[in-house]
Amino acid sequence: MSLTIFDLPVEMINEIVEELDTFSRFHLQKVSKTFRNIVDRLKPSFKTLDFYINTDNSINLIFDKFSVVTYRKEGNSCSLVYKNHKKSIVGVDHIEIALGDLARALKNPKLQLERIGLFSATEFSNFLKKCLNSQIYVKKLVLKTHKIDEIPRILTIFQPGTLEYIEFRNEPKTRKNLLKIVNLEQMKRARNLKFLELGVKIRVSNGNRFKIYKKEFDVEDIVRLRDFLLTTAHFKSCLLTARQFNLPQIETILRSDKCLTFTINRTQLIIEKV
């Protein structure tokens, strides 16, 4: 009877698999359930992950900023390029293959990521939620999606309390959209929030107040921040610091809402709920 790799001591098999890079482990997981269980028992070899669906519809799955897997549609096939290697899979959708690899990377029960970036105009949150057995441990999330309804679904994938930093590369612009996300536990317990289109970073100094530093706030900025404060049950006040405020315009905006009080001088504005 011929021997197989599984006749080796478990410790030796683990040492062999530990030497494989992340993408090679992916391929090994697809071979059999036994190999999948072996890989899942090991600590993942990456600490950051980025997932891009690009404007040309190609997809990049990036581990630790340098290890890049590219997926493309070529006729009725999916091409995978990793380092100098290229593989074609006939009769499959490249987005489905890429999402499957993304889900496989996130399913490892020992996964603890420092950062994950998700950049896509395609809905994929429902796919991931079906694939994942539990919420993901991640400290930093960077998110860009043109489908605003995706944001609350994506946030629920992550463990509340582990997300210390959440950055939105596109900002919900209405009270309705803000309301969908600001009361999620993941948002309430994050220590830092950043809205890139607003151009500011929101620092949460305690459970009730957030602080924002920016060179200049225009009228639209103040309206968005007012709406953000009004739609969240978590934050009670905010402190804005700038080089200079346009006092008459800001007073007009904030006095129109009886649910808020404010104190303002040339460089600081404090807005509080009544």
Side-chain angles (χ1 to χ4, degrees):
M1 183 176 178
S2 60
L3 297 177
T4 70
I5 189 173
F6 300 113
D7 293 305
L8 294 172
V10 174
E11 295 79 8
M12 186 176 294
I13 296 175
N14 288 343
E15 288 182 13
I16 294 172
V17 176
E18 281 179 342
E19 293 298 316
L20 299 176
D21 60 28
T22 298
F23 196 59
S24 297
R25 291 187 186 187
F26 278 179
H27 282 302
L28 189 62
Q29 283 180 302
K30 297 176 184 179
V31 172
S32 69
K33 183 177 180 180
T34 302
F35 276 124
R36 183 168 68 247
N37 291 336
I38 290 172
V39 173
D40 283 344
R41 285 200 302 265
L42 300 176
K43 187 176 180 180
S45 57
F46 58 95
K47 298 300 291 182
T48 69
L49 184 154
D50 291 281
F51 182 81
Y52 292 85
I53 297 184
N54 303 306
T55 54
D56 64 356
N57 216 28
S58 65
I59 298 173
N60 295 124
L61 185 57
I62 306 172
F63 302 96
D64 292 330
K65 298 183 180 180
F66 299 108
S67 184
V68 183
V69 186
T70 301
Y71 306 78
R72 286 191 175 89
K73 181 179 181 180
E74 293 185 352
N76 68 335
S77 302
C78 166
S79 75
L80 282 74
V81 179
Y82 177 65
K83 295 183 178 179
N84 296 322
H85 304 286
K86 182 177 180 179
K87 177 182 179 181
S88 293
I89 307 174
V90 179
V92 295
D93 180 66
H94 73 297
I95 296 178
E96 183 179 338
I97 295 295
L99 286 173
D101 285 345
L102 173 63
R104 193 170 291 107
L106 298 178
K107 281 180 70 173
N108 190 305
K110 294 187 177 181
L111 182 71
Q112 291 191 356
L113 289 178
E114 292 294 324
R115 177 190 180 278
I116 185 170
L118 300 173
F119 308 89
S120 171
T122 303
E123 292 187 12
F124 56 84
S125 59
N126 288 333
F127 177 89
L128 288 178
K129 291 182 77 170
K130 289 179 183 177
C131 294
L132 299 174
N133 299 321
S134 58
Q135 291 177 308
I136 308 166
Y137 180 106
V138 180
K139 289 185 178 180
K140 180 177 180 179
L141 168 65
V142 181
L143 178 63
K144 181 174 183 178
T145 173
H146 297 298
K147 298 182 180 295
I148 300 301
D149 288 342
E150 276 279 270
I151 293 177
R153 292 198 292 265
I154 290 173
L155 286 176
T156 57
I157 293 171
F158 303 97
Q159 289 181 23
T162 64
L163 272 176
E164 299 174 2
Y165 176 99
I166 304 174
E167 178 178 318
F168 296 98
R169 293 289 176 91
N170 54 330
E171 180 193 352
K173 295 180 174 60
T174 67
R175 285 195 183 195
K176 181 180 178 181
N177 288 330
L178 278 170
L179 190 59
K180 290 180 179 179
I181 65 171
V182 295
N183 288 321
L184 289 171
E185 199 65 25
Q186 288 83 352
M187 292 283 287
K188 292 178 182 179
R189 297 173 66 178
R191 301 304 300 169
N192 289 284
L193 309 174
K194 183 174 182 179
F195 295 89
L196 196 67
E197 285 194 4
L198 188 59
V200 299
K201 185 174 182 178
I202 301 176
R203 297 186 180 277
V204 184
S205 58
N206 55 51
N208 295 315
R209 170 177 286 188
F210 61 86
K211 299 179 181 180
I212 298 180
Y213 307 88
K214 192 181 180 187
K215 291 181 180 179
E216 183 179 352
F217 289 89
D218 59 26
V219 172
E220 190 174 340
D221 291 339
I222 300 300
V223 171
R224 291 182 188 176
L225 290 167
R226 178 200 64 190
D227 290 350
F228 179 84
L229 189 60
L230 287 172
T231 52
T232 175
H234 180 57
F235 297 118
K236 306 301 180 185
S237 66
C238 65
L239 169 63
L240 312 183
T241 302
R243 290 180 178 176
Q244 187 172 349
F245 285 103
N246 186 321
L247 301 184
Q249 285 186 328
I250 291 175
E251 288 177 347
T252 300
I253 294 168
L254 297 179
R255 280 179 178 163
S256 64
D257 201 310
K258 296 180 180 180
C259 296
L260 299 173
T261 62
F262 65 94
T263 305
I264 189 170
N265 57 38
R266 288 188 62 189
T267 60
Q268 284 196 332
L269 168 63
I270 299 174
I271 308 173
E272 297 179 296
K273 290 181 181 178
V274 176

